[in-house]
Amino acid sequence: MAPLAEPTQNPAMRLLLIGPPGSGKGTQGERLAEALEVQHIAAGDVLRAHVYGETKLGLQVAGLLKEGELVPDKLITEALTPTLSAAAEEGGYILDGFPRTVAQAERLDRLAQRLDVAPQRVIHLDVDDGELQRRLLERAQSQGRDDDTPDGIARRLEVFRTTTAPVVELYRERGVLLAVDGAQTPDEITQTILAALSDAVAR
Ligand code: ADP
């Protein structure tokens, strides 16, 4: 079969990107979306757009985002559903930052079954905590995101360890996980992922 890096021969790639804060989900999501010609959907960006737009949802979740707490499963799933189904209809998606809880993974299962848009692969960007803290503190100085405070960073890392790590294990058990060393340079990570995807399809 043709390698996945050839977008014209691979019109329908559906991927999840899971990793702790600072692991490079946003950067890789954008790069992969371009390489594979599918839409990049970042759960955090969708929520932040609601906060800035002061929508009903935005007003409900602003405090949670700032503190580094997850927003309720039902709210994030509902917020993502229209975008996800539209993207899937266009041929595929890279979904970054969802699911972050096992309950969200179960909601995604139901949605994917209903719309026939199940993810084909789940990429786990693995980076150690020391490096994550360093990157996030650096980002705090350059971008000043509301949740990039020392407390917000610590809480988000803890939430990943306690609540999101089991989601990674779930997909590992299902045999769809691609674990990638996120300590490499951004270019190396993109290449590693594209090569692994094309291997997975060729097999
Ligand atoms: P980071 O990975 O650096 O924490 P994100 O932009 O992915 O950045 O997420 C920022 C915040 O948005 C999270 O701390 C959380 O409050 C909220 N959020 C994003 N995705 C989800 C999700 N799937 N479930 C619940 N809350 C989420």
Side-chain angles (χ1 to χ4, degrees), residues 2-35:
L4 292 183
E6 297 285 337
T8 48
Q9 295 173 38
N10 171 46
M13 196 74 224
R14 299 184 303 272
L15 300 175
L16 304 183
L17 262 178
I18 305 185
S23 60
K25 296 187 298 293
T27 306
Q28 294 305 323
E30 277 169 32
R31 288 164 171 243
L32 293 169
E34 199 179 317

Side-chain angles (χ1 to χ4, degrees), residues 14-21 23-33 36 39-44 93-100 108 119-126 160 164 167-168 171 176-180 182 189-190 193 197:
R14 299 184 303 272
L15 300 175
L16 304 183
L17 262 178
I18 305 185
S23 60
K25 296 187 298 293
T27 306
Q28 294 305 323
E30 277 169 32
R31 288 164 171 243
L32 293 169
L36 300 169
Q39 196 183 328
H40 172 218
I41 306 164
Y93 59 78
I94 313 268
L95 180 53
D96 116 36
F98 183 90
R100 268 175 147 103
L108 178 61
Q120 293 151 297
R121 284 284 179 281
V122 179
I123 297 159
H124 172 217
L125 287 175
D126 195 12
F160 184 85
T164 308
V167 179
V168 175
Y171 288 118
V176 291
L177 195 76
L178 283 175
V180 176
I189 297 173
T190 311
I193 294 172
L197 289 175

Side-chain angles (χ1 to χ4, degrees), residues 50-66:
H50 278 278
V51 172
Y52 295 137
E54 298 184 352
T55 66
K56 185 172 165 234
L57 172 67
L59 295 171
Q60 272 175 289
V61 302
L64 292 169
L65 257 75
K66 193 165 180 189

Side-chain angles (χ1 to χ4, degrees), residues 21 25 43-44 47-48 69 71 97 100 104 139 145 156:
K25 296 187 298 293
L47 291 171
R48 279 186 289 277
E69 299 295 339
V71 315
R100 268 175 147 103
Q104 288 178 16
R139 185 171 82 185
R145 228 172 76 177
R156 277 149 58 221

Side-chain angles (χ1 to χ4, degrees), residues 100-102 159-173:
R100 268 175 147 103
T101 68
V102 169
V159 167
F160 184 85
R161 273 195 302 272
T162 56
T163 312
T164 308
V167 179
V168 175
E169 290 317 308
L170 181 97
Y171 288 118
R172 197 193 307 279
E173 281 162 23

